[in-house]
Amino acid sequence: ESLNTMSMMEYNGSAIVAMAGDGCVGIAADTRHGIRQLQTVGCNRQKTFQMTDQTFVGLAGLGTDVQTMSQLLDFRLKLYNLREERTMEPKTVGNLISHMLYEKRFGPYFTEPVVAGLDKNHKPFMCAFDFIGAMSQAEDFVVSGTSSEQLFGVCESFWRPGMDKDELFETLSQCLLSAVDRDCLAGWGGVVHIITPTEITTKRLKGRMD
């Protein structure tokens, strides 16, 4: 079997979704670390990373590249903070990721990132990328990982405008749990971060297999 791009993306499995509320934004991911469908190695793999006090990045794809990308991003953001003496806006984090991925397009990182954050006006910003850095922005939700199709389906049904942080948490959690139940490559628990102008709330979810 040839390990083409798609099977590299599916090797460890992942489900990531970011969703906008009213003056808040959330990002959720499953926690399974698996080897194809054959084996679940662990149930606490980190796929979402806090980049600034108002921005999270979710990284779907190959586990090793997820680790590399998160460390590289962390480094680039700290460098920016030192040079500019200010925190990077979510949109700038998105542009940085796009640049980093496209730079390596001939030997790409097998990861499809999602950015979720609040800008300086407390407006939600969300975007997703393919593995060579093409950005797609959305006002409602963005998804990534092997559960993308399932996530699109439930998010289309359940998302609505004007949700407060509690409604957003509930919707995001249900969307993630419903989607991973239809994908054997993802699941085994989840984690949800809700970002508001004043705080970040993180909650863990128990999935069907936990």
Side-chain angles (χ1 to χ4, degrees):
E1 182 195 341
S2 65
L3 284 175
N4 61 19
T5 305
M6 217 45 234
S7 68
M8 294 305 276
M9 286 296 190
E10 291 171 354
Y11 193 81
N12 299 123
S14 43
I16 297 175
V17 53
M19 198 177 269
D22 184 17
C24 55
V25 69
I27 185 167
D30 74 313
T31 51
R32 177 182 185 264
H33 176 45
I35 298 170
R36 295 202 186 89
Q37 302 102 309
L38 308 173
Q39 199 178 354
T40 299
V41 184
C43 305
N44 54 1
R45 185 171 191 95
Q46 188 182 359
K47 298 174 188 180
T48 51
F49 303 87
Q50 186 172 353
M51 289 297 157
T52 73
D53 55 355
Q54 297 276 272
T55 307
F56 271 79
V57 171
L59 297 167
L62 190 65
T64 48
D65 285 358
V66 165
Q67 288 178 316
T68 305
M69 191 76 183
S70 67
Q71 287 163 7
L72 203 54
L73 259 174
D74 191 47
F75 167 71
R76 296 285 287 268
L77 262 86
K78 283 173 178 164
L79 210 57
Y80 180 94
N81 286 356
L82 284 169
R83 280 202 187 126
E84 303 274 330
E85 295 183 356
R86 63 195 170 108
T87 306
M88 202 181 274
E89 289 278 308
K91 190 173 174 54
T92 318
V93 174
N95 290 331
L96 171 63
I97 289 172
S98 188
H99 175 81
M100 283 165 66
L101 291 172
Y102 192 68
E103 196 174 44
K104 292 271 188 288
R105 66 192 177 281
F106 298 118
Y109 293 118
F110 293 110
T111 177
E112 295 179 330
V114 164
V115 176
L118 294 176
D119 65 18
K120 57 179 181 290
N121 303 316
H122 307 320
K123 186 176 182 290
F125 174 86
M126 295 170 305
C127 64
F129 306 83
D130 69 2
F131 68 104
I132 56 162
M135 186 198 287
S136 60
Q137 249 177 277
E139 297 291 311
D140 46 7
F141 55 84
V142 290
V143 307
S144 186
T146 51
S147 311
S148 287
E149 286 184 15
Q150 292 89 330
L151 283 164
F152 269 123
V154 284
C155 292
E156 291 275 343
S157 303
F158 293 128
W159 183 86
R160 57 190 173 77
M163 290 187 286
D164 66 27
K165 60 180 183 179
D166 298 322
E167 293 169 316
L168 179 63
F169 167 75
E170 197 58 43
T171 306
L172 198 47
S173 305
Q174 295 302 334
C175 285
L176 183 76
L177 291 171
S178 303
V180 297
D181 282 346
R182 292 253 169 206
D183 177 20
C184 63
L185 296 174
W188 287 90
V191 62
V192 183
H193 307 284
I194 303 291
I195 307 158
T196 70
T198 53
E199 60 175 358
I200 291 171
T201 314
T202 300
K203 291 179 182 170
R204 296 203 155 268
L205 304 176
K206 267 195 174 310
R208 190 173 280 181
M209 296 293 194
D210 275 3

